[in-house]
Each structure stands twice: as structure tokens, then as C-alpha cells.
Amino acid sequence: MPPARSDIRNLLKEYLEHHPAEREQLEPLVAALDSEAEPTSRATLPGHITCSAAVIDRDRRVLHIGHKASRKLLAPGGHVEDDRTLLAAALREVCEETGLRPADLCLTPQVLGAPIDIDVHDSDANPTKGEPAHQHIDFRFAFYLVTGQPPLLALQDEEVSGAQWLPFADVRSPTLRAKLLNHDLDGQPEPVNASALIHDGRGRYLLHLRDQREGIWEPGVLALLGGGRETGDPCLEATLRRELAEEAPGLKVPHLTPYAVEEATSVDGLAVPIQVYAGRWNGDPDTVDLQEGVLLRWFTPDMLDRLRLSPGLGDLVRRHATEHPAAKGPPDTIHLSHDEAPAGTELHIVGVHLYLQDEHDRILLGLRHPNSKYALNEWHFLAVH
């Protein structure tokens, strides 16, 4: 499936909010989005969408490659293929042409996942491919290198003749050069996501079960509430409070304190530094009107090895629990039993499943133990003999 037109329109809308003077020159893009032809297909004429990557290092230089076909020095990029988004297309192209891995790159906190530049330019005819002269509507996305020193490149011999790191002032594309010079892009990776490590002060931690859907970041696992920064967020705490209000409107955490920076990997493989905030809350998860994901539940650290968690979450919770011992006193609620199957349990026998639904149309499911001999780590109806 090609990238959704609605997503491309949203990128264009956000871009024009920052660059309203370019509205007229982007009319070919509007026409491509309004036509019946697929705007990202290289067969669509007189023009189609392409994607490029501006990879920036700590010295504020941009990676350029020698393009054999055009004999030009360009930012890595090319045509959209079977890519989920335009950003994913730019990431794939730079990795194919330079040998960089997605994990070598991260989003910039200044531009995030929006295009830093959209340029319409002419592309020469290519008789060998039967292509007449046409236009490329190029979406340019900015990435930072994760490491201080640029990694060794493994250039694609078929299309690439060499590579150079050029200062912003020497970037070959005039439109991209202008955008780079106008942004405070220092090449220093910073967290662009924020998560909430919510605990009740008595040893319980609030975890969020994500949807098991395509395109969801780490689907079907228990994780922390939170999400990615948007251009309107003044700071990462504002990002987190916006995300909490969107995901769980009834969850009110009065104080959030920066606790740790964790590393994660996005759906597209990009490195994602996450600022984790710690906060205290002792309410009932069933009352927060959950809008995203499947459920919210309290868990204690000794239960974590029985759960399917997002990478690194178990160590994060245990570290916080060690540094912040639980207050003494009776628990607020009854915890789940840690025992294995009780004596007398028989496996692989004929039985029935119990379907329980309350007045709010919620269905009761049980999560099987990861060491279960049948359907481990899966949610199921309660089983009875």
C-alpha cells in the first residue's frame, strides 16, 4: 500500500503553515493529490512525489552522495516504493544508498517527523527506462546521527559514485540550504518522546496494554503511557501531559519529575530517545476513560517476568522500585496470585469458556502465564471444567 493521501495532505498543511509563501510553487503537489493517479508512483506524469534525507552530523554538515545517473551531488533519496509513509521512504533510500542503518539515525527535535523542505524541480528524460522529462515533488526529511562520529559508509555501487559531508552553506539544493540555515539544527540528539512511569507509592506501577494492530509501535505489549512530541508542544512535559489527556482523560497526575532517558526503536527502526517522567497516582484504572490501547492495570515488580513488556521496561521499573521503596501498610487492592496452576489441574481436557460482560459492555479476559503449556502470553476467556 502506498502512503495514505490524507497523511500527505497533513504534511503539506503543516508545512504551509510554516512556509505560506511557497503555496503557489507547490500547486503541482496539490494537483497530484487531487488527481486520480497515485501521486507517489514514478509512472504518474507530469510529476510525482519523491523523498530525500538530510542526514546531519555534530559538525552541522549534511551527507551528500554522487548520483551516477545525473552526475550530481545530492542528498540521498529516490522514489517511493512499498513504504508505509513518506518519512519511511526517505529513511529506506538513505540506508540503501549509503549503508547506514535506521538505528544510526534519529529525528531532530526542531523538525520532528515533518518535512524540512518540499521542492519541485525538473527531472531529465531517461530513455533507458522509457521516462520522458517530468517533475519531482521532493519531500526532504531531516535526521541526526546518533553517534558523535559518522559511521563508515557502504555505498550502493550501482547508483552512487561517492559521498561527501558538506556544511549547511554548501548544501547543493538552494531550497534545502535555506531551510537548514534558518533552523537551529546543531546535530545533537535529544529526546523527542516522553513517557510516564506512574506508581502509587506502595509498590505498584501503572502499565498500558497497547493495541495489537499493524503500524502500532510495539503492538500488544504492556508499556508506559506517553508518545511523541508535536510541533506545538513547548516542552516534553507538555508533550506528556497532552498525551495523557488524549489517552486517558481521567488520569490526573499532579507532579511529573524527569527520571531517566531510555532508548527505544520506532516502527521504522529509527533510534528514539525517550524522556521518562515519574509521577504518583493511586486511583482506579477502570475510571480513567481509556481512549487508546486496550487496558490499564497496576502491577508489582515481582510480576514483571510473567508479562510481555516493551523492551527495557522491566529493568526501568525495578530500578525505580529499588530507589523508591514501597511505603509500609496494607495494599490498596488485592494482588493477583503468584502461584502456578493449583493441585488437581488437568491439561488438555474438554471444558468450557466463561464469557463475562458487565453493564459497560466490558468483557473479562485473562492473560496466560508466559510459562503456560498452552497459548502462553495470550488473552483468553476464563476457562472452567
Side-chain angles (χ1 to χ4, degrees), residues 15 18-19 56 60 108 110-111 115-117 144 168 176-186:
Y15 181 82
H18 293 90
H19 307 285
I56 302 167
R60 303 179 77 240
T108 73
Q110 296 85 358
V111 187
I116 188 173
D117 182 41
Y144 281 165
F168 287 179
L176 178 58
R177 180 171 64 245
K179 303 300 193 316
L180 291 168
L181 292 172
N182 287 333
H183 281 82
D184 186 23
L185 296 163
D186 58 8

Side-chain angles (χ1 to χ4, degrees), residues 99-321:
L100 290 171
R101 302 168 304 154
D104 294 326
L105 306 173
C106 64
L107 294 180
T108 73
Q110 296 85 358
V111 187
L112 302 173
I116 188 173
D117 182 41
I118 304 177
D119 179 58
V120 181
H121 57 266
D122 294 330
S123 179
D124 296 334
N126 188 339
T128 61
K129 294 184 178 181
E131 294 178 347
H134 56 280
Q135 286 187 320
H136 282 171
I137 308 163
D138 200 36
F139 280 66
R140 281 86 180 262
F141 296 89
F143 302 98
Y144 281 165
L145 285 177
V146 173
T147 58
Q149 293 296 322
L152 292 176
L153 303 177
L155 302 178
Q156 186 181 45
D157 291 336
E158 294 179 359
E159 299 182 12
V160 180
S161 60
Q164 294 183 41
W165 292 89
L166 300 180
F168 287 179
D170 295 334
V171 167
R172 291 298 191 259
S173 165
T175 59
L176 178 58
R177 180 171 64 245
K179 303 300 193 316
L180 291 168
L181 292 172
N182 287 333
H183 281 82
D184 186 23
L185 296 163
D186 58 8
Q188 300 290 333
E190 298 177 18
V192 294
N193 281 49
S195 295
L197 183 64
I198 299 173
H199 64 102
D200 66 352
R202 292 184 175 273
R204 297 186 305 170
Y205 290 81
L206 193 64
L207 303 185
H208 177 221
L209 181 61
R210 290 177 173 161
D211 293 304
Q212 182 68 49
R213 293 179 180 174
E214 185 178 355
I216 294 294
W217 188 2
E218 297 173 356
V221 304
L222 288 160
L224 301 180
L225 290 166
R229 185 171 183 174
E230 296 183 359
T231 53
D233 298 334
C235 62
L236 280 175
E237 182 176 342
T239 294
L240 182 54
R241 292 200 177 277
R242 175 184 52 75
E243 286 287 336
L244 291 176
E246 293 172 358
E247 295 178 345
L251 180 60
K252 307 297 183 183
V253 184
H255 302 292
L256 292 168
T257 305
Y259 174 65
V261 175
E262 295 290 298
E263 297 293 334
T265 303
S266 76
V267 172
D268 300 315
L270 284 170
V272 182
I274 301 176
Q275 177 65 62
V276 179
Y277 289 83
R280 186 165 173 172
W281 183 76
N282 59 4
D284 180 358
D286 286 333
T287 66
V288 302
D289 189 23
L290 187 66
Q291 297 296 305
E292 298 180 16
V294 179
L295 57 82
L296 284 175
R297 283 294 180 270
W298 290 111
F299 294 95
T300 53
D302 57 338
M303 299 173 63
L304 299 180
D305 60 352
R306 305 172 63 184
L307 306 173
R308 187 182 177 203
L309 304 173
S310 61
L313 178 55
D315 291 339
L316 178 70
V317 170
R318 293 186 187 95
R319 184 167 79 245
H320 185 273

Side-chain angles (χ1 to χ4, degrees), residues 9 17 31 49 75 85 130 169 187 213 215 230 250 256 276 283 318 347 354:
R9 289 184 190 276
E17 287 175 355
I49 293 171
T85 63
R213 293 179 180 174
E230 296 183 359
L256 292 168
V276 179
R318 293 186 187 95
L347 301 177
L354 191 62

